[in-house]
């Protein structure tokens, strides 16, 4: 079953604005990861944050993790048209298994 | 990042036929590969975990006899959809996991296979 709930399900913003997506989960985790999926394509790994980390940056991406609230957020700054995609959070349970959230469909309008 | 390929990228078949999808890790040895199914505008659902040289571990509700998984080498896993029906039409995605001291942290995903059963 899917553990992650993502919010919002869909987000449409203007190019140059910041986009924030949230993810909540239910059980304890080892780490949380964010992936991007362009329409009809595979997933691209964006960033991994471990349970003992609170914030992580990678280029225009900023991820936060609040284990007390069992939630994470992904911020994309200065959005570009190429950022249009679906974004999924995934939590690692056990030794190997990743469980994906429902995803946020992000549209960047030029 | 690591490269994982899938073949074919798209397949259309008649109801009742079997379809084989290949997943290859091109630049590293993957002891573990994962098979997911994704319906339109939905998330990925893990179907099974494939370990090289042993039987796959299927998720609850996934029929083992319908979705045959073989992981014969460290770079190749195959998923065979047997006696496919229209409800099996979906986007099938594989991923390959790279072992580390913490187990598998990051999975590298293939580009997916679009299966349409007529």
């Amino acid at each position: 079953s899917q553990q992650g709930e993502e919010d919002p399900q869909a987000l449409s913003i203007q190019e140059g604005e910041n986009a924030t997506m949230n993810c909540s989960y239910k059980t304890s985790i080892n780490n949380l990861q964010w992936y991007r999926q362009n329409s009809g394509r595979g997933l691209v790994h964006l960033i991994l944050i471990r349970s003992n980390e609170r914030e992580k940056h990678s280029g225009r991406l900023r991820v936060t993790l609040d284990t007390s609230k069992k939630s994470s957020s992904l911020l994309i700054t200065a959005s570009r048209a190429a950022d249009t995609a679906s974004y999924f959070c995934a939590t690692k349970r056990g030794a190997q298994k990743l469980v994906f959230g429902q995803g946020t469909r992000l549209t960047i309008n030029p | 990042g690591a490269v994982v390929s899938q073949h074919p990228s798209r397949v259309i078949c008649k109801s009742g036929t079997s379809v084989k999808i290949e997943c290859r890790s091109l630049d590293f040895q993957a002891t573990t590969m994962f098979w997911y199914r994704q319906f339109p505008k939905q998330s990925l659902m893990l179907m099974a975990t494939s370990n090289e040289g042993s039987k796959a571990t299927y998720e609850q509700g996934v029929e083992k006899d319908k979705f045959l998984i073989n992981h014969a080498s460290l770079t190749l896993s195959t998923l065979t959809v047997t006696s496919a029906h229209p409800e099996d039409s979906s986007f099938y995605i594989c991923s390959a996991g790279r072992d580390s001291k913490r187990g598998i942290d990051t999975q590298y995903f293939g580009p997916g296979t679009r299966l349409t059963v007529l």
Side-chain angles (χ1 to χ4, degrees):
Chain A
S1 61
Q2 296 297 313
Q3 168 166 235
E5 301 262 342
E6 291 187 61
D7 154 51
Q9 290 187 347
L11 178 63
S12 180
I13 61 174
Q14 294 300 120
E15 194 167 18
E17 294 180 341
N18 295 341
T20 300
M21 290 159 272
N22 302 296
C23 168
S24 61
Y25 56 93
K26 297 175 183 175
T27 65
S28 61
I29 60 173
N30 300 110
N31 63 59
L32 185 143
Q33 304 176 37
W34 286 90
Y35 289 82
R36 184 185 73 226
Q37 183 181 35
N38 290 88
S39 181
R41 307 290 292 273
L43 273 70
V44 173
H45 182 261
L46 296 177
I47 198 165
L48 179 154
I49 187 165
R50 301 194 189 284
S51 59
N52 61 351
E53 297 176 310
R54 292 297 167 259
E55 187 171 313
K56 207 160 182 181
H57 296 254
S58 177
R60 293 184 295 114
L61 306 180
R62 173 176 164 250
V63 168
T64 63
L65 179 65
D66 187 335
T67 52
S68 65
K69 295 181 180 178
K70 292 187 169 59
S71 67
S72 173
S73 68
L74 170 67
L75 168 67
I76 303 174
T77 60
S79 64
R80 305 168 182 168
D83 295 328
T84 294
S86 290
Y87 291 82
F88 295 92
C89 68
T91 52
K92 185 183 175 189
R93 296 166 65 186
Q96 301 176 343
K97 190 186 303 189
L98 274 181
V99 179
F100 285 84
Q102 295 303 310
T104 294
R105 290 191 305 280
L106 175 65
T107 302
I108 308 299
N109 302 304
Chain B
V3 179
V4 175
S5 70
Q6 272 183 251
H7 178 80
S9 59
R10 187 179 295 266
V11 58
I12 301 173
C13 69
K14 292 182 180 179
S15 188
T17 60
S18 294
V19 175
K20 180 185 281 189
I21 303 170
E22 292 185 349
C23 177
R24 294 181 185 273
S25 60
L26 299 183
D27 53 359
F28 72 98
Q29 293 184 329
T31 53
T32 306
M33 287 185 172
F34 303 86
W35 286 96
Y36 296 85
R37 180 167 52 184
Q38 184 180 33
F39 292 106
K41 297 186 178 179
Q42 293 189 25
S43 188
L44 279 72
M45 297 291 292
L46 179 65
M47 298 174 67
T49 302
S50 167
N51 295 296
E52 187 266 338
S54 64
K55 290 183 180 179
T57 302
Y58 288 82
E59 293 300 300
Q60 194 172 9
V62 178
E63 298 176 57
K64 300 178 184 181
D65 295 332
K66 182 164 186 63
F67 299 100
L68 302 178
I69 290 172
N70 183 277
H71 193 159
S73 76
L74 288 171
T75 59
L76 173 64
S77 176
T78 60
L79 167 68
T80 301
V81 183
T82 62
S83 186
H85 287 96
E87 57 265 31
D88 298 324
S89 298
S90 187
F91 193 53
Y92 292 87
I93 305 176
C94 74
S95 71
R98 211 167 197 168
D99 284 334
S100 70
K101 290 180 182 178
R102 296 188 193 87
I104 295 175
D105 274 345
T106 302
Q107 294 180 24
Y108 299 94
F109 285 80
T113 296
R114 172 78 57 196
L115 171 64
T116 303
V117 185
L118 302 177

